[in-house]
Structures are given as C-alpha cells and as structure tokens.
Amino acid sequence: MMIAVKKYVWLLLVVALFACNRDTKVREVPVNDFFKTQDRALYRLSPNGKHLSYLTLKDKKQHLVVEDLEKGNTVEVSKLEERNINFYCWVSNDELIYYKEKEGSRFQTDLYIVNRNGTQERLLSNDGKSKIRLLEDQLIEDKFLLVSSNKRDSTVFDVYKLNVRNGQMLIAAKNPGNFTDWLTDSKGKLRMAISTDGVNESVWYRENEAKPFQKIITNNFKTTLWPVAFSESKPNTIYAISNVNRDKNALVEIDCVTGKEKSALFAEDTLNVVEAQYSKRRGKMDFVVYETWKKEKYYLNDEAKKLYQGLEKLIPDAESKIVHSDKNEQHFIVRTFTDRSPGAYYLYYAENNFLKKLSDINPSIKEEEMCEMKPISYVTSDGFKINGYLTLPLGVQPENLPVVVIPHNGPGQRNSWGFNADVQFLANRGYAVLQVNYRGSTGYGKEFYAAGFKQWGQKIQQDIDAGVLWLIDQKIADPNRVAIYGYGFGGLIAINSAIGNAKLYKCAGSSTGVLNLFSYLKTIPPFLTSNLQMYYEIVGNPDKDAEYMRQASPVFHADKVSIPVFITQSAKDPRINGNDAVQFVKELKKLNLPVTYLEKEDNKSPLNREEARKKSYAALELFLQGNLKKR
C-alpha cells in the first residue's frame, strides 16, 4: 500500500522561518494563564442526541450539568461537596452514572446513578476496599450494567452484572487469576479477555456467553495486539491493531477460531498505527490514525471519508478529534487543537454539516503569542535515529539561545505534536525547548521500543545528551545555558543528567520524579502485580539487576551532584515514594549543594490543584532565571 506522507519540515527551514521575525517584542504571558482549569470539560451526548452533558466548576466545586439541546435549559444533576467526579457516562436517554473520588484515595471510587433531571440519585457501590470499572455503557434488559471489580480479590478483576435498580452485583465471569482486561462485542456481550503471566500476553475468546473462554493467541508483551471491535459481517472475526510478525503497528482482521491474521486493512513498513475508529452504526472500520511527526487519518470507507472530511473543511486550520457521538452517529462532540492553541469543543451536526462552538479549553491563550512546534531528528553515535520536537521562542534570532530539555515520562510513552502548556510557558520566557523521543519511546516500532529496556541512566541518557550536542552544533543552543527538566521518569533522566553530565547542563529539575527504581517497583498497586515481570524487563529486576538499578537511581548519588537542582514532590503521591525526594534533598543540603525543594500540596479540588500548579511553575521560572541568566 502506497500513501503520500507529509514530509518533515526540517530545522534549517525552521531557522529561516524564525529568522524572519527577529528581535520583536513579545508579551510575557502570566504563568497563571498557561495552566487554567477548564470551566467546562468531558462533554457527552445522550444516546438519542437530544441532551448534552458536561462537568463544570461552581463555587470551587465540580458539578455535572445536563442541557436540553431543543429547549436550551440546563439542570445541575450532581450534588457534590469536596470530592470530584473522575468519570461519568449516559446509560440510557434518561440516566447517567458517575464515579466520585473516595476520600483519601485515587484508586477507589463510589458509583452513583442519577436521572437527567437531577432526581433519584442513588449510590450503587461504595465498597471502600475495591475498585469498579465500567465495561459497557449500554443497559442490559433495562437494568444491568456490565462492570469489572476487584471486590473478591484485590489483585484481580472479575466481571459482574450490576443491577442499577437495587445495587446488587451478580458475578458474570470469574477471573482465573491472570486476566487483566475484558472486552464486549457491539451488543454488550462479554466475548474476549486478555491475560498475562507478566511477560507473555494471551487473548482468550468465546463464541457466545454460554461457552468457556479459549486461549487463541499468545505474544510477548513487546508485541502489540489491541482488539478494536468484533466484525458485524464476518463471524468469529475481530479487528485489531497489531505488530505481530512486523515492526510497526497495522490494522488487521484476526480469525478468532485459529488466532491467525486473515488480512491487513492497513499496513505500511514505515508507518505506525496508533488509533482505529469503528462505527457501530455502519458495522465497519471507518479509519486508522498513523503517527509520524503528526497524526494523519487513512479512511477505510467512503461514507466515513465524506463525513469526516466535511467536518475538517469547517475547521481547516486545526486538528480535530471526535470525542463522543450519539447512538445514530449523527451528532458529535469534537475537540480541536494545534501546536499553538489548546483548542475548543464543538457540537457537530452531520445531517446538515453544521458546527456549533461549545467552549474554549483555555481562552487566556492567544494563538498568535504561542510558538510553533517543529519536528527534528538526529543520529546517535551507535546509529539510532532519534526523533523529537523543537519549539523556538518568538521575537529573537534562533542563535545561541538558552535551552530547556524536557524528556518525557515513561516507560512506554512518547511526545506528540500538539499544544503543550509546559513547552509554551518556557518558550514564552525566551527558552528554546527540546523534546526527545529517546529509545524506549512508543510509536517507532518494536525494535526501537525494546532498545530502551533497562537503559535508564545509560543509553536513554545518551540519546538526550546527543540532542543537546546537536543543538549546540547547529548554533541554536548556548552551550553554557542548557537546563533539563522532567516529570516522572523524565525527572529521573533530568536528575541523572545532574549526576552524570554536569558539564553539559547548567541546572536540572524534577517534578514528581522517579528517584529510586527499587521503591518505584514497590509502589505498583495490587491490581497491577500481574504485570510485575514486565516491569522487571523494562525497568529492572531488583534481584538480578540491583547494581544497574542502583546506578540509575539518583537517590543513591547525591554526592555526585555539582549543579543546582530543583525538585517538587507530593508526599502523598501513590505511585512515587515521597520519602525518596526528602532523603535526596537532605543529602544535598548536608553536602551544601544548591537545591530548591517545593513540596506539592495534596489538593482535592480542581481549583486548589490549579493554585498549586501555578505556585510550582512560578518557582521553576525563578530557578531557571537564576541559573541560565538570560541575556
């Protein structure tokens, strides 16, 4: 299959572009403007498309609102006090369910059902020790929802039929101990499950709910196989995103009896499929999304192509993503964005190709004041091609600039093109921002992904350093004014840079960073313990790789830090041991080494979290100003 792919806009063109706008005065956008909490979010349509719902903030509290699209009136259907809704959906034309965060826990939630007019709110599940997940949002027999829960055993999820009329939960499928996910067909029937032994993942299938699950496929976790949908026209067939027997993800048909691939709907050696859209109404795959430096669609049927291209013509200067639709797929919630704008939400009426704006995601951001995010690439000394993005500040020559390197979190993540508040905040302050998709990042094939395993503090670090040296060689970076800052595993990379390559970096920062690989593995929650062997392969095995893990964990090497360090950490973060940051900072202070430490507050409401975020970024701004000494 041959398709046209947009060519990269390489750095020399970027430099020429920015050189046209030399030494122009640029307004310094207030730090608070970059990180505002959305006034409205998580828009959803009722199945019949007659009602619109969304979350909004009122009096520092989150509320669930339903709007009648024909009459225009709105109703607040939630009755919240201190807790937040972290998920909700329609289960009929008249009813919604939603989860409230439990007090003091991010893993457990209470499940409620309420009528769209705000009446008859009922608590369906409030087991303080378990987590409940919705598997299928359509009611069965007008009273049952299919959910999974770890109420029987905290380490595994069984499937239950939840009676929304009386709150009873009847077990529908018992987890044999290693199932990590369950999947339904378009009619809401439980037909497929995924299991793992920690390293190998298996797909289990049954023709109908009266039959037992049978194992049909087993692959190593490095291999991708994501079931997307069951075929409506071909019995015992599923569509899946797969890189079985290939390096890049493709969209394929799989025979569920044999477990073998029947055909490829989209496969290209150089392109990696990241999404696939299935239409329940049409019973067909609509399109795939592949990602190079940007995401692009490839259409799989003419009806879908006409629909989505009609939408794209209404918003030609932005990327668009369908986030929800009614059951008939005639009314859609659309989110738009660019690299210089967080975008907006729209309501799209397909029958008359009409677009209605619902709200801006952050109206404080002015697109003309933001900076373009351009693709770059370079080759490491051991022959790996590394891709990334460079964002250059407005109003200055792209020469001899102060630089902030932002390594992304991990494992198994990547930077993608789009609006990034962190990047735009730093670029607005006059910094060139380099984002690197180091080896181990997803989206570049199995070989590239696996090349990053157990390379924290080693080859991953070298990939980042090579990007900085490349920027210096291009005369863009001032070699004496380079900082590195990251979140999670990006924080691990940043602080390791302060330990292993202080000559290249002037200062380093970490936000909720992983500072100790040993304690990181200990904080894996019970329901993810089946994946522990996978984490051992990616991060390291404490028994077999202790020496490497100690070398790659900054907490053990405070004495090797010789440049200023900035650390923010929440003591109550469930995935990061806050004591590691406290211990590391104490050691740095004991050695009289320059360190700025800011403990994040454990804020429950969105507005309080926004205030804490502003405080953190204001402190980061002062730290960078003091150490990079912008001219």
Side-chain angles (χ1 to χ4, degrees), residues 267-287:
E268 270 287 324
D269 291 342
T270 60
L271 300 177
N272 194 70
V273 174
V274 293
E275 298 174 38
Q277 179 68 42
Y278 176 78
S279 168
K280 285 187 178 181
R281 183 178 68 83
R282 284 183 284 277
K284 295 179 180 180
M285 295 301 307
D286 277 351
F287 60 80

Side-chain angles (χ1 to χ4, degrees), residues 438-473:
Y438 48 79
R439 70 188 78 191
S441 302
T442 55
Y444 298 95
K446 283 190 291 191
E447 181 184 352
F448 190 84
Y449 173 52
F453 292 179
K454 298 181 186 178
Q455 293 299 322
W456 306 101
Q458 298 180 1
K459 289 183 179 178
I460 286 175
Q461 205 76 33
Q462 293 168 20
D463 291 347
I464 306 290
D465 295 346
V468 175
L469 293 172
W470 180 79
L471 271 184
I472 293 171
D473 185 61

Side-chain angles (χ1 to χ4, degrees), residues 158-398:
D158 302 309
V159 178
Y160 294 84
K161 278 187 174 181
L162 170 62
N163 189 323
V164 300
R165 306 305 168 204
N166 59 22
Q168 284 188 332
M169 289 176 65
L170 304 173
I171 197 157
K174 189 174 180 180
N175 195 323
N178 61 348
F179 281 15
T180 57
D181 206 358
W182 306 85
L183 297 100
T184 60
D185 62 19
S186 63
K187 297 177 178 63
K189 304 294 184 182
L190 188 63
R191 302 275 304 283
M192 189 164 279
I194 309 295
S195 71
T196 181
D197 62 9
V199 175
N200 296 310
E201 294 179 343
S202 298
V203 177
W204 299 70
Y205 170 75
R206 63 184 183 185
E207 189 174 349
N208 57 61
E209 291 183 320
K211 293 187 176 181
F213 285 101
Q214 301 289 333
K215 187 191 296 185
I216 59 169
I217 304 168
T218 297
N219 292 303
N220 184 275
F221 78 91
K222 301 170 191 174
T223 298
T224 296
L225 199 154
W226 303 327
V228 175
F230 285 84
S231 172
E232 297 289 326
S233 57
K234 301 177 183 179
N236 303 316
T237 300
I238 61 165
Y239 303 110
I241 294 175
S242 168
N243 61 14
V244 176
N245 299 321
R246 50 173 62 90
D247 186 57
K248 303 291 192 298
N249 292 346
L251 180 66
V252 302
E253 287 183 333
I254 293 176
D255 186 323
C256 292
V257 176
T258 65
K260 302 296 183 183
E261 182 180 312
K262 295 171 65 175
S263 64
L265 279 69
F266 179 93
E268 270 287 324
D269 291 342
T270 60
L271 300 177
N272 194 70
V273 174
V274 293
E275 298 174 38
Q277 179 68 42
Y278 176 78
S279 168
K280 285 187 178 181
R281 183 178 68 83
R282 284 183 284 277
K284 295 179 180 180
M285 295 301 307
D286 277 351
F287 60 80
V288 297
V289 176
Y290 57 89
E291 187 169 17
T292 52
W293 70 279
K294 288 178 73 174
K295 290 180 179 177
E296 306 282 350
K297 290 187 181 74
Y298 179 84
Y299 293 100
L300 298 168
N301 69 74
D302 290 338
E303 188 178 352
K305 185 175 182 179
K306 180 180 178 181
L307 169 69
Y308 292 107
Q309 287 188 341
L311 169 61
E312 289 166 0
K313 287 177 182 177
L314 296 176
I315 39 176
D317 298 323
E319 300 292 309
S320 63
K321 181 178 177 64
I322 302 289
V323 296
H324 198 245
S325 73
D326 63 359
K327 190 173 183 180
N328 289 329
E329 298 177 19
Q330 289 300 302
H331 301 161
F332 299 85
I333 304 297
V334 181
R335 178 180 174 175
T336 65
F337 67 91
T338 70
D339 55 341
R340 297 187 298 141
S341 170
Y345 289 106
Y346 293 86
L347 180 58
Y348 177 59
Y349 295 90
E351 64 266 31
N352 56 6
N353 201 34
F354 176 72
L355 197 66
K356 174 186 175 183
K357 189 173 185 178
L358 297 173
S359 65
D360 288 306
I361 291 169
N362 184 353
S364 297
I365 297 298
K366 310 302 179 187
E367 189 166 1
E368 65 273 11
E369 295 181 327
M370 299 297 107
C371 305
E372 290 187 81
M373 180 182 182
K374 292 295 185 180
I376 56 100
S377 68
Y378 52 89
V379 178
T380 63
S381 59
D382 60 348
F384 266 82
K385 182 182 178 181
I386 305 297
N387 293 279
Y389 299 92
L390 179 64
T391 303
L392 296 173
L394 295 176
V396 295
Q397 288 182 262

Side-chain angles (χ1 to χ4, degrees), residues 48 50 54 57 81 99 107 121-122 131 133 161 165 237 244 259 310 349 364-365 368 396 449 480 504 533 583 593:
N48 61 12
K50 293 182 178 180
Y54 53 88
L57 292 172
E81 294 180 4
Y99 297 153
F107 293 129
E121 181 185 55
R122 305 181 304 282
K131 183 178 177 69
R133 298 169 175 168
K161 278 187 174 181
R165 306 305 168 204
T237 300
V244 176
Y349 295 90
S364 297
I365 297 298
E368 65 273 11
V396 295
Y449 173 52
N480 297 312
L504 190 60
Q533 291 298 324
Q583 177 188 339
L593 296 170

Side-chain angles (χ1 to χ4, degrees), residues 368-614:
E368 65 273 11
E369 295 181 327
M370 299 297 107
C371 305
E372 290 187 81
M373 180 182 182
K374 292 295 185 180
I376 56 100
S377 68
Y378 52 89
V379 178
T380 63
S381 59
D382 60 348
F384 266 82
K385 182 182 178 181
I386 305 297
N387 293 279
Y389 299 92
L390 179 64
T391 303
L392 296 173
L394 295 176
V396 295
Q397 288 182 262
E399 299 172 3
N400 212 34
L401 295 174
V403 173
V404 179
V405 183
I406 305 183
H408 66 74
N409 192 9
Q413 298 185 31
R414 65 161 286 170
N415 294 302
S416 291
W417 185 88
F419 186 82
N420 185 307
D422 293 67
V423 171
Q424 293 296 336
F425 162 64
L426 292 168
N428 180 256
R429 295 307 189 260
Y431 301 105
V433 183
L434 176 66
Q435 297 170 275
V436 175
N437 284 330
Y438 48 79
R439 70 188 78 191
S441 302
T442 55
Y444 298 95
K446 283 190 291 191
E447 181 184 352
F448 190 84
Y449 173 52
F453 292 179
K454 298 181 186 178
Q455 293 299 322
W456 306 101
Q458 298 180 1
K459 289 183 179 178
I460 286 175
Q461 205 76 33
Q462 293 168 20
D463 291 347
I464 306 290
D465 295 346
V468 175
L469 293 172
W470 180 79
L471 271 184
I472 293 171
D473 185 61
Q474 297 292 318
K475 309 297 183 185
I476 293 173
D478 181 340
N480 297 312
R481 294 190 295 162
V482 179
I484 184 167
Y485 169 79
Y487 170 85
F489 271 82
L492 175 94
I493 294 170
I495 302 303
N496 273 335
S497 298
I499 293 165
N501 204 344
K503 291 183 179 178
L504 190 60
Y505 301 96
K506 192 73 174 178
C507 58
S510 164
S511 175
T512 317
V514 176
L515 300 180
N516 185 342
L517 294 180
F518 295 97
S519 60
Y520 170 79
L521 293 174
K522 290 179 181 177
T523 60
I524 292 173
F527 53 84
L528 289 179
T529 52
S530 58
N531 292 323
L532 200 54
Q533 291 298 324
M534 177 186 72
Y535 283 104
Y536 285 172
E537 282 212 25
I538 298 173
V539 175
N541 186 315
D543 296 324
K544 300 177 182 179
D545 305 309
E547 185 177 347
Y548 146 72
M549 290 176 66
R550 184 178 178 85
Q551 174 268 322
S553 299
V555 72
F556 300 112
H557 307 290
D559 60 319
K560 297 183 179 69
V561 174
S562 59
I563 60 175
V565 167
F566 174 87
I567 294 177
T568 63
Q569 186 74 50
S570 170
K572 297 183 180 180
D573 192 308
R575 285 296 288 118
I576 304 293
N577 187 339
N579 291 329
D580 291 329
V582 173
Q583 177 188 339
F584 187 63
V585 169
K586 281 183 178 178
E587 288 297 315
L588 291 173
K589 289 182 175 179
K590 191 186 298 182
L591 295 166
N592 292 318
L593 296 170
V595 57
T596 300
Y597 177 62
L598 181 67
E599 184 170 322
K600 293 182 178 179
E601 300 172 15
D602 189 37
N603 296 299
K604 297 179 178 63
S605 80
L607 284 177
N608 286 342
R609 284 198 291 266
E610 180 181 328
E611 288 302 318
R613 203 161 51 233
K614 293 172 186 175

Side-chain angles (χ1 to χ4, degrees), residues 21-38:
N21 188 23
R22 300 175 60 170
D23 301 322
T24 304
K25 184 68 175 176
V26 176
R27 182 179 78 99
E28 188 172 281
V29 178
V31 61
N32 297 358
D33 286 359
F34 287 99
F35 305 102
K36 286 186 180 297
T37 300
Q38 294 180 43

